[in-house]
Amino acid sequence: MAATDEHRIDPGRSIDWSRSSADYARHRQGPPESFFAKLQALGIGLPGQRLLDLGTGTGLIARRLARQGARVAGIDIAAGQLAEARRLAAAEGLPVEFREAPAEDPPFADASFDAVTANQCWLYFDKARLLPRLRRLLAPGGLIMVSHFSWLPRADPIAAATEAIVLKHNPVWTGGDWDGAVALPPAWMTPDLEIRGFFLYDEAIPYTAEGWRGRIRACRGVGASLEPEAVAAVDRDLAAWLAAHAGERFAVRHRLDATILAFRAS
């Protein structure tokens, strides 16, 4: 993921995604197949399309779009995340190019890409710096896809209980209690952009208890910001709650959304 302003997001916490990379690679699922089918219908992830994935993390989006035949590069500032991304791509034989760089300063020539994707990471970026750079980076008619894949604590009891446990150990975490609202147009949209597509829907995502615990260890408010002892405490509390209330297998309701934009012709 990209750099974050620690005074605005989780104030007082230093966030380092590399610390959560092992759990992230093993347990953090990418969006379901339905998400990628909808994206492809809106022109994202086409065979031969040149794509740049911002805040790529372990390459969940980048690797999935490469499987569809897109020519993909991914950038991130977290070296540990990129190491996992390269390992996982190599294991699948996927020719994804991963580079260490901030989203606001991608190390590529102008007009290098047909589309740019950013899943679950747009909030970390400095849009005033990023958007002019993307305008140069995209070929004429290029697309920007901003998406989210988020659990719904106000609609799902497992998500709500999990957030309460995280907040017990990390009370400055600001990632909880999302109301599910998605603004259209997005607040950061500038006059030189136009919306080319949008979707929003809910899906129940299946987990095992072990998988959900790993997913939570990999989240910003736990593995990326807490000391190991506190991470272990979150995990113990969550394991006990799941054993008492959820069982070994369950589903957690998530909301998925994507906004596809393009720059207006000059």
Side-chain angles (χ1 to χ4, degrees), residues 131-142:
L131 289 172
R133 186 67 187 94
L134 294 187
R135 181 163 198 140
R136 297 193 301 273
L137 198 67
L138 286 166

Side-chain angles (χ1 to χ4, degrees), residues 48-101:
Q49 190 176 44
R50 298 173 300 165
L51 283 165
L52 174 63
D53 187 41
L54 305 177
T56 196
T58 60
L60 284 166
I61 300 297
R63 289 182 283 113
R64 179 59 182 77
L65 295 176
R67 290 184 210 121
Q68 295 177 193
R71 296 158 54 194
V72 186
I75 60 173
D76 202 294
I77 65 166
Q81 295 280 83
L82 291 171
E84 293 290 348
R86 294 184 183 109
R87 178 182 67 81
L88 293 166
E92 291 189 66
L94 296 171
V96 182
E97 179 184 4
F98 291 108
R99 296 196 195 182
E100 186 175 343

Side-chain angles (χ1 to χ4, degrees), residues 15 39 108 113 145 174 178 186 203 233 236 248 253 255:
I15 299 165
L39 281 187
F108 300 98
F113 296 97
M145 187 283 293
T174 59
W178 183 50
E203 187 164 326
R236 285 194 301 271
E248 179 54 32
R253 185 175 171 187
R255 179 154 295 171

Side-chain angles (χ1 to χ4, degrees), residues 31-36 38 152 199-203 254-257:
E33 289 302 303
S34 57
F35 174 84
F36 294 99
K38 292 177 186 295
L152 291 167
F199 62 77
L200 181 151
Y201 68 103
D202 292 357
E203 187 164 326
H254 283 62
R255 179 154 295 171
L256 298 102
D257 70 88

